[in-house]
Amino acid sequence: MQIRNIAIIAHVDHGKTTLVDNIIRSSKVFRDNQEAGELIMDSNDLEKERGITIFSKNMSVVYKDVKINVIDTPGHADFGGEVERVLKMADGVILLVDAFEGPMPQTRFVLQKALQLNLHPIVVINKVDKPNCRPDEVHDAVFELFFNLDATEEQLNFPTYYGSGKNGWFNDSLTPTDNILPLMDGILKHVPEPKIQEGTLQMQITSLDYSSFLGRIAIGKVARGIIKENQPFSLVQADGSIKKQRIRELYVFEGMGKRKVTEVYPGDLCAVVGVEGFNIGDTIADFENPEALPIISVDEPTMSMLFSINNSPFFGKDGKFVTSRHLRDRLMKETEKNLALRVKDTDSADSFLVYGRGILHLGVLIETMRREGYELTVGQPQVLVKEIDGHKNEPYESLVVDVPEEFASKVIDLVTRRKGELHVMETKGEMQHLEFEIPSRGLIGLRTNMLTATAGEAVMAHRFLDYKPWKGPIPGRNNGVMLAKEAGSTTAYSLDKLQDRGFFFVDPGEDVYAGMIIGENNKPGDLIVNPNEGKKLTNHRASGSDAATSIAPKTLLTLEECMEYIQQDECIEVTPNFIRMRKVILDEHERNRIAKSMKSEA
């Protein structure tokens, strides 16, 4: 059977996973009476809630007697490590672009990787049914992007398809059809068969799966030779060391699942059970004459956070896994499959430094652990600083903001205050398109401020550029916070009386402890308040005769918003049911003593 290997790449929210749904439906993977639902490939709970793809996934369909292996990739820059690896398994890519937004920063990032690997591109302009879309302008912008990325003559001659994933049609013209078969024919026509070289077995491990029954499963494309069940092989590792092992079981991708086979021919993707101690990028090679494939390089982490055990007064009330051993084992397990993550021990046995690609990357890890029953404390995200030629350098990102024209000046003001520089300003329909270069530090906390300033209209996207010289201090949060004075349960009476001081992150009847952040102060500087005081009752006053208290509902912050909100002396307590912000040092006198000693040293 002939094979085609194709990866689907795009910016966030341009419709990759919806396109995969259409491919699945068009090739009748599900029976007609079987309920498949939407966004079939986003199987993880977090992916379904956020509507984004976090982990790349494989599936295959058979169309006109040709097996098409489809790889769905994440669109967020924070998961760039996933994209780079899995593109190694493909021979062609479908570049999906929104008919209104056009190419975005992440489109550029993933396309550059695909062109460097010499993959054959097919451009699909999606969402042409949207009002004010501009497919012809977007097509020209995509061509310009290819040209800027030094595409070859052959790559510049890419085929283009138009359509609407939501309405289930794609065609090589703007005429709507009632299916996506023109695109399926295009895949067979424009994506080459895998190149098969002569020689002994070679397969690079580009991805991994985990099964509690089978253990770690290595996934990759067989580059040459035939791989068979029970075959002895050499595992060539990144440092050049070679381990002799034997293959236990082999699986190929079929539909949404896997099918067990006895041998896999070159060019096909397969999952191998029985490889021990492997890392992504290692090569499964011939037993007698092992030859390694070039190592996969993954972008370095740009941000770190301190993960510690939960040491608040509410320790152990909520989670199942609370000790430092639990925390360490879970983080080490994560590094096995999350390539862009690094974990380092610190001087304290209870704390670990975790390095990642950005706030979303680390936020997804914390959220996953919280749902598994872990309790932990995480500190403020810090960018990684490098010493280059004796100068202090920090990571910079390219930031793109699309915003209605009347808010453009506010956005420029916000970004420039955080040491960003405006490089491009152009009009796209009714929107203003702004491109900045900004230190990664400046992005922390920017999204919330920007959405407030633009009435929620701004669309932000950013990607890592390079390390450049340190830009100096960046202003943080302007206002102080309100801290609980002592442990207890908040009362409506107290919160009502404190409302003119700021807004709250807690409702009446919630348990708090001393040093916990319960709200934001209207002014700079922290304010210690007592939210637990009840109303004093006398013979003359009945409890309900006063004017009823009217308290504004609490401000709910998501985990990522908390990570962007906290300052250096604050941290977040994360448990399965609660996310609380607090001071690192809970005792007020201890905080004052340390602040005084730091002043005297300075």
Side-chain angles (χ1 to χ4, degrees):
M1 188 186 271
Q2 287 189 333
I3 292 173
R4 299 285 188 276
N5 297 320
I6 191 149
I8 299 181
I9 58 175
H11 184 77
V12 179
D13 225 12
H14 280 195
K16 291 183 297 299
T17 308
T18 309
L19 171 61
V20 176
D21 288 1
N22 283 313
I23 293 174
I24 292 169
R25 290 200 172 91
S26 71
S27 51
K28 298 280 191 283
V29 169
F30 291 100
R31 299 187 307 277
D32 290 340
N33 63 347
Q34 196 173 348
E35 185 56 48
E38 296 290 313
L39 304 178
I40 304 163
M41 292 288 272
D42 283 349
S43 50
N44 179 291
D45 284 349
L46 269 176
E47 292 181 315
K48 285 180 177 161
E49 281 170 32
R50 291 164 187 247
I52 60 171
T53 302
I54 296 171
F55 309 105
S56 61
K57 299 174 197 69
N58 303 52
M59 49 132 337
S60 80
V61 296
V62 175
Y63 177 69
K64 293 190 175 172
D65 291 333
V66 178
K67 179 181 181 183
I68 303 173
N69 285 313
V70 182
I71 306 156
D72 184 16
T73 62
H76 268 283
D78 284 22
F79 308 112
E82 286 273 320
V83 181
E84 285 175 63
R85 307 194 316 251
V86 296
L87 286 179
K88 288 258 185 166
M89 296 196 274
D91 300 296
V93 291
I94 291 180
L95 176 70
L96 206 62
V97 186
D98 186 298
F100 170 69
E101 290 184 349
M104 297 287 277
Q106 193 58 24
T107 318
R108 186 189 181 94
F109 170 78
V110 286
L111 180 62
Q112 189 173 13
K113 302 284 178 198
L115 294 178
Q116 284 167 358
L117 290 167
N118 209 12
L119 302 178
H120 292 251
I122 295 175
V123 172
V124 175
I125 295 178
N126 191 17
K127 306 190 184 181
V128 295
D129 56 322
K130 276 169 79 170
N132 70 17
C133 67
R134 36 193 200 103
D136 296 333
E137 281 177 54
V138 167
H139 181 268
D140 296 344
V142 172
F143 184 84
E144 204 173 303
L145 177 63
F146 270 78
F147 185 75
N148 292 341
L149 292 174
D150 299 329
T152 61
E153 194 86 11
E154 192 185 356
Q155 287 170 332
L156 278 172
N157 200 10
F158 55 83
T160 308
Y161 290 83
Y162 301 89
S164 159
K166 190 171 128 192
N167 297 335
W169 68 271
F170 287 99
N171 200 356
D172 51 8
S173 68
L174 280 164
T175 317
T177 60
D178 55 1
N179 57 39
I180 68 158
L181 299 183
L183 175 61
M184 300 295 282
D185 292 328
I187 292 174
L188 301 191
K189 182 179 171 189
H190 299 292
V191 176
E193 283 196 60
K195 287 194 189 94
I196 295 163
Q197 305 159 344
E198 292 298 312
T200 54
L201 171 64
Q202 268 190 331
M203 170 185 149
Q204 188 156 40
I205 300 170
T206 46
S207 183
L208 64 84
D209 203 350
Y210 185 80
S211 144
S212 50
F213 180 58
L214 297 168
R216 291 170 80 212
I217 302 169
I219 296 173
K221 180 169 87 172
V222 183
R224 63 182 203 203
I226 298 173
I227 188 166
K228 297 178 181 173
E229 197 175 48
N230 259 332
Q231 176 183 357
F233 69 91
S234 303
L235 182 70
V236 187
Q237 300 201 286
D239 56 6
S241 62
I242 296 173
K243 292 179 181 172
K244 304 289 187 187
Q245 298 186 14
R246 187 179 289 275
I247 287 162
R248 285 213 312 268
E249 291 176 9
L250 281 176
Y251 293 85
V252 291
F253 295 96
E254 191 170 271
M256 301 293 298
K258 300 187 187 82
R259 175 169 62 92
K260 192 174 176 192
V261 290
T262 52
E263 56 185 22
V264 180
Y265 290 91
D268 204 352
L269 309 186
C270 75
V272 184
V273 176
V275 189
E276 286 171 19
F278 69 86
N279 291 311
I280 287 173
D282 293 353
T283 307
I284 292 176
D286 186 60
F287 188 75
E288 302 288 339
N289 308 308
E291 290 177 48
L293 285 159
I295 301 296
I296 300 174
S297 64
V298 173
D299 285 355
E300 289 292 304
T302 56
M303 204 165 265
S304 73
M305 282 177 83
L306 192 67
F307 280 50
S308 317
I309 60 167
N310 181 13
N311 56 5
S312 85
F314 294 165
F315 157 81
K317 281 189 176 180
D318 203 21
K320 285 189 292 190
F321 307 111
V322 294
T323 65
S324 57
R325 185 178 59 82
H326 285 140
L327 187 60
R328 186 197 162 85
D329 290 351
R330 177 66 183 81
L331 290 172
M332 292 306 173
K333 187 177 151 196
E334 187 67 26
T335 54
E336 290 182 357
K337 62 174 188 287
N338 196 332
L339 269 203
L341 200 77
R342 311 257 190 288
V343 177
K344 272 191 185 170
D345 290 322
T346 61
D347 300 340
S348 158
D350 295 339
S351 303
F352 307 93
L353 260 180
V354 179
Y355 299 88
R357 294 278 300 156
I359 287 215
L360 185 65
H361 185 205
L362 292 165
V364 164
L365 168 64
I366 297 166
E367 185 63 39
T368 309
M369 288 173 66
R370 176 170 103 88
R371 291 174 184 215
E372 288 170 6
Y374 285 83
E375 278 194 18
L376 62 152
T377 305
V378 292
Q380 188 194 25
Q382 304 285 340
V383 299
L384 298 189
V385 180
K386 278 187 181 175
E387 192 85 18
I388 302 174
D389 302 331
H391 297 289
K392 193 175 173 185
N393 284 28
E394 64 175 326
Y396 275 66
E397 310 222 3
S398 150
L399 169 70
V400 174
V401 185
D402 285 317
V403 69
E405 216 159 315
E406 66 265 30
F407 296 122
S409 58
K410 285 185 179 175
V411 170
I412 294 167
D413 178 48
L414 264 175
V415 178
T416 44
R417 268 197 246 155
R418 290 164 170 266
K419 304 281 196 278
E421 289 173 16
L422 181 65
H423 284 236
V424 177
M425 183 175 184
E426 55 193 31
T427 308
K428 269 191 191 178
E430 297 161 13
M431 305 286 266
Q432 206 63 19
H433 176 78
L434 310 167
E435 288 184 25
F436 302 90
E437 193 175 285
I438 183 171
S440 296
R441 286 180 300 146
L443 287 170
I444 298 175
L446 178 64
R447 186 180 297 272
T448 320
N449 291 354
M450 192 174 287
L451 289 175
T452 310
T454 60
E457 293 276 348
V459 177
M460 249 178 87
H462 54 88
R463 70 179 181 93
F464 173 68
L465 274 178
D466 202 359
Y467 274 85
K468 295 189 178 182
W470 181 265
K471 264 279 179 92
I474 288 176
R477 188 178 71 209
N478 293 329
N479 293 2
V481 289
M482 287 195 270
L483 301 168
K485 186 177 181 183
E486 56 194 36
S489 187
T490 55
T491 62
Y493 175 75
S494 279
L495 295 185
D496 184 41
K497 296 283 180 275
L498 292 166
Q499 276 190 111
D500 56 345
R501 295 303 186 94
F503 59 84
F504 290 101
F505 304 137
V506 291
D507 274 335
E510 282 192 34
D511 289 335
V512 296
Y513 50 80
M516 180 173 148
I517 297 172
I518 59 164
E520 182 175 300
N521 189 1
N522 285 335
K523 298 174 182 169
D526 295 342
L527 185 68
I528 294 171
V529 297
N530 183 1
N532 314 335
E533 203 172 318
K535 182 175 170 185
K536 304 287 181 289
L537 303 180
T538 66
N539 296 352
H540 305 292
R541 276 197 317 192
S543 59
S545 61
D546 277 7
T549 55
S550 55
I551 301 170
K554 69 174 177 183
T555 305
L556 263 175
L557 296 184
T558 64
L559 179 62
E560 272 96 28
E561 284 169 343
C562 289
M563 286 159 72
E564 293 187 340
Y565 185 82
I566 57 172
Q567 299 294 300
Q568 193 134 16
D569 64 335
E570 295 162 0
C571 58
I572 310 166
E573 175 190 350
V574 182
T575 73
N577 295 312
F578 298 98
I579 295 174
R580 302 181 180 99
M581 291 183 286
R582 48 164 278 201
K583 289 287 181 186
V584 174
I585 298 163
L586 295 174
D587 184 58
E588 179 194 352
H589 303 299
E590 184 70 12
R591 279 201 304 275
N592 294 342
R593 193 180 60 75
I594 288 172
K596 272 182 193 165
S597 65
M598 285 173 80
K599 268 186 190 169
S600 59
E601 280 171 24

